[in-house]
Every structure is written in C-alpha cells, then in structure tokens.
Amino acid sequence: MTTHINPVLVESLVVSAVVLCVHAALWNQHSWCAVALLIQAFYVQHKWDRLLKSGGAVFQFRPAANSGIVPASMVMPLLGLVLRAKCASAGSVHLERFTMVVTVSGMVLALFLSLIALGITRPVPTNTCVVAGLSASAILYTAKQTLTVSEVIEVLEVLLIFVYLSLIVLYLLPRCFTPGEALLVVGGISLVVNQLVKRSLSWAEAKGGDPVHYLLPVLVVGSLLLGVVFALLFCFMESETWVSSLFFHTMTAVLGLGILMPWLALFIGRHPIMWLWDFVTFNRCRLGLVAYWAALCLAATCVVLHQNYQRRAGSKKHQASTVVRKYFHVIVVATFVPGLLYDRQLLHVASAGCLAIFIFLEYVRYFRIKPLGQPLRHLLTLFLDERDSGPLILTHIYLLLGMALPIWLFPGACAPKGTLPGAGGLVPYAGVLAVGVGDTAASVFGSTLGEIRWPGTKKTMEGTATSVLAQIIGVAVLLIFDVGVNLNGAYSWILGSVALVAMLEAYTSQIDNLLLPLYLLILLTL
C-alpha cells in the first residue's frame, strides 16, 4: 500500500526545521517573531493553494506549482537575523541596525501578502484570520519596541515600493512567478531600490564609498527602469520594427550614459569607465580571470548553437534533456570557483555586470528587438522547461542569482579578516554547493539512475543522496584549495545543513536555483 504524503507539508516541515535552528541559535525577540510568521504563513499557504487551484487568484501565477508562501516568507527575515548576529559580534552598529530593518521588512511584506490572500478568499477563513492577526500583532509590537522612528519609516517605504512594483510586475508578466517567488524577487528589488534612493538623497555622506558596493544596486535599478519604461511604451506601439528597435537601443544608451553613469559617479567620486578599467587591469590575475571567463562564455555559446543544430537536423519537437541543461551548471561552477579562490571582488563586479547583460538580452528577446530578438527567441526556446511558462525566460537569470547572491550578501564588514569562522567560511560557496554541485548531481543521477521516488514527488532518493554526497566531496575539495576556509570541527553542522537543503530541493516546487542557496547560506552563517 502506497502512502500518500503531501509534498507541501514536507516542504513546510523542512523550512520549520531551519527556522527552529535559527531561533535556537539566536533566541531573541525577532527570532520569536520568525516562529510566529512561520505559523501564520503555514495557514495562509493552504488558502493560496486553494485559490490557485480554483482560479480565484487576482493575478495569473505560474501553473503546476504551489504558492510557496512558507519558504519565501522566511528567507528575508532569517537572512536579517543571521547577518545581524554576525554584525553585532563584529561591533558594526550601522550594519546591525540595517539588518534589523531587513528582518522587519521581510516580515511586513509577508504579512501584507497574507492579508491579500485572506481578503480575496471566500468564505473568509476565520481561524486563519485569527492566527494571522495574532502573529501580525506580535511582529508589529516587536518592531515598535526595537526600531527607531526613522527605521519604521524605512520599512513602510519598502512596503510602498513593493506594492507598486508587485502591481506592475504581476500585471505585465502573467504566469512568470508563484506568489512566493513574487514575494522573494519583488521584495528583494524593493529593498535595493529603497536603499539606493536613500543613499542618493544623502549622497554627500555616501560619496567616496567602495564602488563595488554601489555598482550592483545601480545596475539593478537601471535594468528595472528600462524594463518598466519599454513595457509601458510598447503597449502602444509595435516593437518588432527597425524604427522601434533603433529607438530601444538609443534610449538604452541614453539611460546608461546619461543617467546611470553620472549616478554611479556621484557615489564613487570618479568616472565609472575609468574606475572599471583600472579595476580590471589592476594585476595579471584579474586579466587572466577575464580571459578565462571569456573562453567559458564562448564554450556556453557553442553548447547552445550545437543543441540548436541538432534540433534542425532532427525532430522539430526536440528539447534539451536535463543532462544537457546541467551543462550550464557545470560551466557556471567553473566560472565561479576560480573567482572565489583568487579574486572575490572581481567576481562580485563581473557577476553584477553579467546580471545586467542577461536582463538586457531578455528584454531584447521578449520585445523582439532587431537584430538579435528573433534569433535569441529561437535559440533559447530549446532549453525551456515547465518553470518557463510565462512570457519571460528566467531560469538562466535565477541560476546566476543563486550562484552570486551568497557573494553579494557575504558580510565582509562584519567578518574578521574577510571570512567567517567554522561553517561560515563556506558562506560564499553556498551557491556553488547548493546549485552548482548538489542540484546538478541530484538532477543528473536522479533522472538517469534513480528508481525509488520520494512520496508525492518525481524526485528520487538516489538523487538526493547523491546531492548530499557530492556537496560533501565539494567541501573536501574546497578545504584543499582554499586555505582561508577553516571549519573548526563544524562537520556535523555542515552535513545537517546540506541534508536539510537537499530535502528542500526534493520537495519544493519553487525555483530551486534561487531558494536553495539562500537557505544554505542561512544555515552556514549560524
């Protein structure tokens, strides 16, 4: 007799285990609020899933996936909690206060999304409303007791930006996100936009800061502005003509050269192109890394062209297999590991620039901008899977984000000598381990050799076991090549963290390229 297990319940149990680990390690007012948020998110997720199945949701979300409220709601609060602990131990008061704002902002955004779900559910779920009200009261009371007035205003600003961006993104891009993925992506963008606006208004204090820290938010906000402007503009005009394409490229150049570069120059105190040239040519190691990455980029292009040649030579319905798609995971691992070993600052800048290029090329493909729009559309459709059900192709962008976010979020100012002791030394490698090594091994071995499936899913136990083993081997290899990693006997914690994230990969229907590195980062930072 086969036992039916609800995968959403197992996913929630795995997330609960992570929340309890954080709560047990930190044990403060905000960690209690995280537990309360988890309970209300669990209740609300059931209502969201019912809305999605009945077609009662206001927007069109990604089909064939649950709402993902529980795992997405906990990411930002837990990140804020673990980073706050590191900043507090390092004595960085400014960053400690900022991480508190991140924690409360994540909780408030999750509460707002829950309120929306409860408001459109019919009949109104009384018990869920009571649980959500109690947890919201506890969170708001704690925020009032621990945040200053200016920090409360900052949280409200993030919420306001989130509301407007959510309306724009979910209306213009139907079926691209689940509710949880929308919370995670739009919530992160809202926080970045708010911080960049705040720093711009006090540019005299921010002037002369590290250019590496300002490059990413300026590129993110610039890419967002470009997409919003042209999405609205091309509602009223045809985008596939040469005139529209010329206008697109002209406006992109105006935005980049006329707005973004002066904006970045305002922060760093010099011309961005001159700074970038000096930064890249600083030593031979950086030039060698750039040449190596260019070779890998050429290799990835060859893979895409070869697969499309096979499609033309064979069936028109030919789609790239799971093993072929994982070639790109291997290429990304080969890209990130040397950067992490030899020059993390260069990797930080390169990954931020690569994100901007990926987003720009996706705009070109989506709007069919000449001359590359139609060829890109033809080349990339070969690698689509069920997660790319909307108008945008986002899996390659998620893969880059999953690998790069641990590097961008690495609390260098809060870490002694640029690293964290124990398992924290592996924090920059969280994306490499969770996505590049673990997810790749689970997909390849699970799809080719796996026979015993986890109840309620298509994932196999052999794939999960291989994922854990591959990540442990990856840690052992890193210990050999990276002398800065000193685990201090934290082997059992690393094994438990990897196993928890592997179980989350087996049961989640959310974008694992984005979710898994963040949860592994949270556990390794404790």
Side-chain angles (χ1 to χ4, degrees):
M1 181 178 177
T2 304
T3 304
H4 176 73
I5 296 179
N6 186 354
V8 179
L9 178 60
V10 180
E11 177 190 58
S12 300
L13 289 175
V14 174
V15 175
S16 301
V18 177
V19 173
L20 292 177
C21 287
V22 174
H23 177 59
L26 302 180
W27 199 270
N28 57 33
Q29 289 174 301
H30 291 108
S31 66
W32 278 109
C33 289
V35 175
L37 180 67
L38 171 69
I39 295 172
Q40 75 90 28
F42 178 78
Y43 275 83
V44 171
Q45 177 164 273
H46 173 69
K47 309 304 175 187
W48 261 112
D49 290 341
R50 193 176 74 183
L51 284 170
L52 294 177
K53 290 178 181 178
S54 65
V58 176
F59 296 101
Q60 298 182 56
F61 293 101
R62 184 163 64 86
N66 64 60
S67 61
I69 295 296
V70 170
S73 296
M74 303 313 303
V75 168
M76 194 181 293
L78 294 182
L79 272 175
L81 282 171
V82 296
L83 294 179
R84 178 194 173 190
K86 296 304 176 185
C87 293
S89 62
S92 178
V93 178
H94 173 71
L95 288 178
E96 181 186 357
R97 301 303 304 182
F98 171 68
T99 53
M100 287 178 63
V101 171
V102 172
T103 300
V104 177
S105 297
M107 293 179 180
V108 170
L109 296 185
L111 289 175
F112 173 79
L113 198 65
S114 300
L115 182 64
I116 295 297
L118 296 177
I120 61 178
T121 304
R122 294 291 181 270
V124 177
T126 305
N127 294 336
T128 306
C129 288
V130 171
V131 172
L134 291 175
S135 61
S137 299
I139 291 170
L140 295 177
Y141 176 77
T142 304
K144 176 180 176 296
Q145 295 296 113
T146 56
L147 298 183
T148 62
V149 175
S150 62
E151 290 168 344
V152 171
I153 294 174
E154 193 171 345
V155 171
L156 295 177
E157 291 169 350
V158 173
L159 177 60
L160 184 63
I161 296 171
F162 175 80
V163 172
Y164 282 107
L165 283 182
S166 297
L167 293 174
I168 294 172
V169 169
L170 295 178
Y171 175 74
L172 295 176
L173 303 174
R175 304 182 306 280
C176 283
F177 307 97
T178 65
E181 291 162 5
L183 171 63
L184 199 56
V185 173
V186 181
I189 294 175
S190 302
L191 190 63
V192 171
V193 170
N194 180 69
Q195 286 300 308
L196 187 59
V197 171
K198 178 183 174 183
R199 293 181 183 183
S200 300
L201 294 176
S202 58
W203 67 272
E205 299 176 6
K207 187 176 180 180
D210 189 351
V212 174
H213 296 153
Y214 290 108
L215 180 64
L216 177 63
V218 170
L219 288 178
V220 168
V221 174
S223 302
L224 180 67
L225 287 175
L226 185 68
V228 171
V229 168
F230 282 105
L232 296 175
L233 182 63
F234 288 141
C235 288
F236 305 98
M237 61 183 293
E238 182 64 40
S239 64
E240 299 180 42
T241 64
W242 276 107
V243 174
S244 297
S245 299
L246 180 61
F247 181 69
F248 175 88
H249 293 301
T250 302
M251 288 301 297
T252 301
V254 169
L255 177 67
L257 299 176
I259 298 178
L260 297 186
M261 281 197 181
W263 200 356
L264 186 57
L266 192 69
F267 290 123
I268 66 178
R270 59 179 302 192
H271 197 283
I273 294 181
M274 297 303 300
W275 166 80
L276 184 62
W277 175 260
D278 293 339
F279 181 82
V280 173
T281 59
F282 180 72
N283 54 38
R284 290 185 178 181
C285 179
R286 288 185 175 177
L287 292 174
L289 281 173
V290 171
Y292 170 70
W293 289 337
L296 289 178
C297 181
L298 180 62
T301 305
C302 291
V303 170
V304 173
L305 295 177
H306 175 69
Q307 289 299 315
N308 275 272
Y309 174 78
Q310 286 188 332
R311 176 170 63 174
R312 287 195 299 269
S315 171
K316 292 184 179 180
K317 295 183 179 180
H318 173 71
Q319 285 293 117
S321 64
T322 300
V323 176
V324 171
R325 284 197 293 267
K326 296 307 175 183
Y327 286 167
F328 297 100
H329 286 232
V330 175
I331 291 174
V332 172
V333 170
T335 301
F336 272 75
V337 170
L340 285 165
L341 289 174
Y342 298 112
D343 199 324
R344 293 181 184 178
Q345 273 202 325
L346 178 64
L347 182 61
H348 188 292
V349 171
S351 55
C354 191
L355 176 64
I357 293 172
F358 275 13
I359 295 175
F360 174 76
L361 291 178
E362 182 56 25
Y363 289 154
V364 171
R365 187 206 64 85
Y366 174 67
F367 294 121
R368 295 184 175 91
I369 301 298
K370 294 179 180 295
L372 295 177
Q374 196 59 41
L376 281 174
R377 181 174 290 264
H378 177 73
L379 290 172
L380 295 180
T381 50
L382 175 65
F383 301 93
L384 296 181
D385 59 15
E386 68 278 359
R387 295 176 297 181
D388 291 307
S389 54
L392 293 184
I393 299 177
L394 297 173
T395 47
H396 61 297
I397 297 177
Y398 285 137
L399 175 60
L400 174 63
L401 285 174
M403 301 290 286
L405 277 172
I407 301 166
W408 297 340
L409 297 173
F410 182 63
C414 298
K417 297 182 181 179
T419 187
L420 294 174
L426 296 174
V427 165
Y429 295 97
V432 172
L433 293 173
V435 174
V437 177
D439 184 47
T440 302
S443 297
V444 173
F445 284 89
S447 61
T448 56
L449 303 176
E451 296 182 358
I452 307 173
R453 300 191 183 279
W454 289 106
T457 75
K458 297 180 180 180
K459 305 295 180 64
T460 64
M461 295 184 182
E462 293 89 346
T464 303
T466 306
S467 172
V468 175
L469 179 61
Q471 290 181 74
I472 296 302
I473 295 174
V475 172
V477 173
L478 289 176
L479 286 174
I480 296 173
F481 290 98
D482 192 344
V483 295
V485 176
N486 182 10
L487 301 184
N488 295 334
Y491 304 107
S492 58
W493 181 260
I494 294 172
L495 178 60
S497 301
V498 166
L500 269 178
V501 173
M503 285 300 299
L504 183 61
E505 188 274 337
Y507 275 95
T508 188
S509 62
Q510 307 303 297
I511 299 295
D512 49 9
N513 288 348
L514 185 61
L515 203 62
L516 302 184
L518 292 173
Y519 271 96
L520 186 58
L521 183 152
I522 290 166
L523 289 169
L524 293 178
T525 308
L526 284 176

